[in-house]
Amino acid sequence: MSVWTVLLAAGSGTRLASAAGGVKKQFLRLDGRPLYWRSLRAFARCPEVAGVVVVFPPADLAAAQAELDALRAREDPGVAVVTAPGGVRRQDSVASGLAALPRACRFVLVHDAARPFADPPLIGRVIDALLAGKKAVIPVLPVTDTIKEMSGGVVARTFDRNALAAVQTPQGFELSLLRQAFAHAGEDFDVTDDASLVEHFGQDVTTVAGASENRKITNPEDLALLAASPAVAVPVVGYGYDVHRYADPARPGKQPARPMKLGGYPILGAPEVLAHSDGDVLLHALVDAILGCVAGGDIGALFPDSNPDFDNMASGVFVSEALLLAKSRGLAISHVDLTVICQIPRIGPHAQAIRLNVAALLGLDRSQVNVKATTEEGLGFTGEKKGIKAVALVTGWRQAGQDASAAPGS
C-alpha cells in the first residue's frame, strides 16, 4: 500500500519577506540546509513512505531542483524524490503535486514545508490511521486560548474552546478520495487546508494527536525557532569483524607473535597471535563497528599495518582515535555487543573482565556492553584451533546532517 508525500514548498512567504532579506521561507537555512530539507528527511525516515514530491515555485524550480540534486548526492534520503511546479493557490500547488504521484500510490500525505519540525512519530500516527481504514486524517492540538468571533471591532460571539482544535500538517488521505474532493470543489472554492476539500465533499475527517513542537514558520518572530532548533538525532548501527591466526612455534610467521589480549585484557596461557599491532582481535572488530556508525571507513585505512609506527601498538589507542572521529561526526554510542569465536581458549572465565575493560575504554556503563563467546563446533579455521575471530555490533545516535566526509575536528 504505497504512501507518498506531497511537500509544499511553493509559497511566496510575503509575511516574512522583509525580515528574511527577501528569501522565501522554504529556502531559509536550517542546519546549513534549506528549510524544506528537514521535512523531507523526516518523511524519508518513515518506513511506509515510498517517496516525496516537492512542489517549488515555478520561477525557482530550476535552481531549487539543482540544489535538491546536490543535497541528495551528499545525503541520500533513501526514498524516491521528484519535483513539481506550484500554482497560484495552495490547492493549485497540491493538485500539481498529486499529478506527479506514481500510479501505484494509494495514500498521500500533504505537508507544509513551513513546518520543519514534524517528526516520524507524528507522521506515523497519521499513516497508522490511514492503514487502519480511515480515509482522511489530520493531526490536531487542543485550543488553549479563548476564541471570539469579531464583527465591526466588537465581539459577535464566543466559541466553546472545548469543541475547537488547531489543525496541523501532515494531513493524510486516500488518494482517490482527495482527487474526488478536488474535482467536486471546482475552481471557485478556496481553502487553507486540504481536509476542508474533503469536508466540503461530505466525507468524515478523522483526527489524531498533533505535536506542540510542529510549529509553522509564518511571522518574523518565528525566525527565532530556526536559530534555536535542536539537532535531530537518527539511530545508527555499525558492524565490525576481525580474525587473527595463532602463532605456530614450529613455523615462524612473517608477523611477530603477540601475547593474546581481548578487549585490552590479557588472556594468560592462551595461544599467541600473529599481528602487526598488539593483535587484539576484539578491539579491532570494535574499531570497525565504531567507524561503521559514521561512514568512517575501516581500521586498515586509518591504521595501516604497513606503517611501522603502529608496530605492537596497544589497540586501545585505535579505539580512542576511532571514538574521536566518531564524536566529531555526531555519534553517541548507546550499546555495544561483542562476540568472540574460538575453540581455544575458554572465554567464559574472562568475559566480565573484558566487559568492564571495554566499557571503561568507551566511557560507557557496563550495562551498555555485552561480551559473549561461542565455538564453531570443531569446524573451519577456529574449530581447528588455528585462530580466533571477533564480531562487534555498535548501536547509537548520530546528529543528522553531520558531514560523513569531514576529518576529525573539521
Side-chain angles (χ1 to χ4, degrees), residues 165-382:
V167 180
Q168 301 180 321
T169 65
Q171 299 184 356
F173 306 93
E174 187 177 82
L175 179 56
S176 60
L177 170 62
L178 188 58
R179 283 178 167 155
Q180 291 176 60
F182 264 90
H184 179 265
E187 292 294 325
D188 299 326
F189 186 67
D190 289 340
V191 297
T192 56
D193 81 329
D194 308 289
S196 299
L197 291 169
V198 175
E199 296 163 32
H200 185 258
F201 188 50
Q203 295 294 315
D204 290 338
V205 176
T206 300
T207 64
V208 296
S212 59
E213 63 272 16
N214 185 26
R215 298 277 300 277
K216 188 175 182 181
I217 307 300
T218 303
N219 299 307
E221 57 267 26
D222 297 329
L223 294 175
L225 296 173
L226 304 184
S229 65
V232 173
V234 295
V236 290
V237 178
Y239 173 83
Y241 170 85
D242 196 34
V243 57
H244 280 299
R245 181 181 295 276
Y246 289 155
D248 183 350
R251 301 175 61 187
K254 294 182 179 179
Q255 290 182 313
R258 312 293 192 192
M260 182 182 292
K261 292 181 181 178
L262 292 175
Y265 181 79
I267 310 298
L268 301 180
E272 292 185 319
V273 296
L274 299 177
H276 180 65
S277 66
D278 68 355
D280 193 324
V281 67
L282 192 59
L283 290 188
H284 292 181
L286 176 58
V287 168
D288 270 352
I290 294 170
L291 295 174
C293 288
V294 296
D298 59 39
I299 189 172
L302 293 183
F303 312 107
D305 58 12
S306 58
N307 189 335
D309 292 341
F310 303 134
D311 182 36
N312 202 26
M313 180 169 283
S315 295
V317 175
F318 301 160
V319 173
S320 297
E321 291 296 314
L323 281 175
L324 286 173
L325 172 61
K327 288 179 179 178
S328 76
R329 297 182 182 180
L331 179 67
I333 296 174
S334 58
H335 189 75
V336 174
D337 190 23
L338 305 171
T339 304
V340 180
I341 305 162
C342 61
Q343 203 71 28
I344 56 171
R346 291 185 62 239
I347 304 301
H350 312 288
Q352 288 307 307
I354 296 170
R355 178 189 182 200
L356 292 174
N357 210 49
V358 171
L361 280 171
L362 298 177
L364 300 176
D365 185 83
R366 63 180 178 180
S367 64
Q368 296 172 278
V369 177
N370 185 54
V371 175
K372 56 190 184 295
T374 187
T375 70
E376 291 185 308
E377 302 293 339
L379 301 174
F381 174 78
T382 64

Side-chain angles (χ1 to χ4, degrees), residues 88-107:
V88 176
R89 303 171 301 173
R90 174 197 169 85
Q91 62 221 66
D92 298 328
S93 294
V94 174
S96 178
L98 296 183
L101 293 172
R103 293 176 60 87
C105 177
R106 179 176 173 187
F107 300 106

